[in-house]
Amino acid sequence: MPIKKTIYILTLFLISLSCKAQEIVNINDFDVLDDNSGKYYKDINHNFDSFTGTWIWQNGNQTFTVTLWKESMVEDENGTNPSFYMDDIRGHYKLTEMKNQHGTLVNETLYTSQRKIGNSNTLWPYVILGDTSDGVEFSGMVIDVSIDYPDYALGIQGYLKLTIISTSPMQMHWEVTLPEGIRDIGQPTTFNIPTDIILNKL
């Protein structure tokens, strides 16, 4: 077989492999029981857009701020099978308070999730993780690292449900609940972060 023809066939073969590895599928069609190897579950319908951005809740002179962004094509290891990839929504939060210091208003940070993980020198890359299939309801998890919980250096994990309740103005309901199940003795059962509030999008 001529060398040019061999190279041509080999090139087509490699391209076909590459296309298979980059097969794009609507994230709404993800099924953990399917063969997901090499697939990319993408936010094709842009449902994530309604959640991404900066959201605030005012409580007197305090402001709870949530920042959400879309992370694209995140690798998900698939056991002994090839990895697959998914889009997801990630985020951070912080609480600030406007204080009068010697006649000057200063916005002081009371806590932020952009802090070191436990006793390490590594910052939390995100503490909110989840997705949405319709652009109205988000489900996922949040980690409360707002304070140092004794014996729980990695904070308290909770279920997070976000629901868009208005588009003009843009508002969403933030609801945090504890996972069900058996807990360790002394494990905290209350969150320091807000658990039931209405956030407005900036």
Side-chain angles (χ1 to χ4, degrees):
M1 184 181 291
I3 186 76
K4 285 185 177 180
K5 190 170 184 180
T6 303
I7 292 173
Y8 176 74
I9 291 172
L10 183 59
T11 301
L12 286 178
F13 175 71
L14 291 174
I15 288 173
S16 68
L17 283 179
S18 175
C19 289
K20 185 174 182 182
Q22 298 296 326
E23 181 183 353
I24 296 175
V25 183
N26 192 321
I27 195 169
N28 295 358
D29 296 328
F30 176 76
D31 188 334
V32 71
L33 299 178
D34 287 347
D35 177 13
N36 300 309
S37 301
K39 295 179 180 178
Y40 171 26
Y41 291 92
K42 183 179 176 65
D43 176 33
I44 291 174
N45 298 327
H46 300 282
N47 288 321
F48 289 13
D49 294 355
S50 56
F51 288 96
T52 56
T54 302
W55 301 79
I56 64 168
W57 171 63
Q58 293 285 157
N59 183 28
N61 59 347
Q62 294 185 348
T63 304
F64 183 70
T65 303
V66 175
T67 304
L68 302 173
W69 68 89
K70 178 165 77 173
E71 199 77 18
S72 299
M73 205 172 179
V74 178
E75 182 176 4
D76 198 318
E77 294 183 1
N78 198 15
T80 57
N81 297 319
S83 298
F84 59 89
Y85 303 84
M86 298 186 74
D87 292 345
D88 60 40
I89 297 174
R90 302 181 179 189
H92 274 294
Y93 55 74
K94 67 178 179 179
L95 180 69
T96 58
E97 183 174 37
M98 192 66 71
K99 293 185 176 180
N100 190 329
Q101 294 184 356
H102 310 293
T104 303
L105 290 177
V106 177
N107 202 18
E108 180 180 318
T109 299
L110 301 182
Y111 62 70
T112 177
S113 61
Q114 292 179 287
R115 56 178 295 187
K116 293 178 181 178
I117 302 174
N119 297 320
S120 73
N121 289 319
T122 304
L123 294 174
W124 284 97
Y126 56 89
V127 295
I128 296 170
L129 176 65
D131 58 44
T132 178
S133 61
D134 59 9
V136 177
E137 291 190 353
F138 163 106
S139 60
M141 50 80 66
V142 61
I143 305 172
D144 186 353
V145 295
S146 61
I147 59 175
D148 294 323
Y149 290 98
D151 302 321
Y152 285 86
L154 299 182
I156 304 176
Q157 184 171 317
Y159 289 129
L160 176 62
K161 181 179 179 182
L162 303 175
T163 307
I164 302 295
I165 57 174
S166 171
T167 56
S168 184
M170 199 73 170
Q171 293 182 315
M172 73 176 177
H173 182 207
W174 159 287
E175 185 179 9
V176 180
T177 56
L178 277 172
E180 297 179 358
I182 299 173
R183 296 182 177 81
D184 296 335
I185 296 175
Q187 182 176 352
T189 56
T190 57
F191 294 96
N192 186 57
I193 59 173
T195 57
D196 190 356
I197 56 174
I198 303 299
L199 292 152
N200 291 278
K201 195 171 189 178
L202 290 181

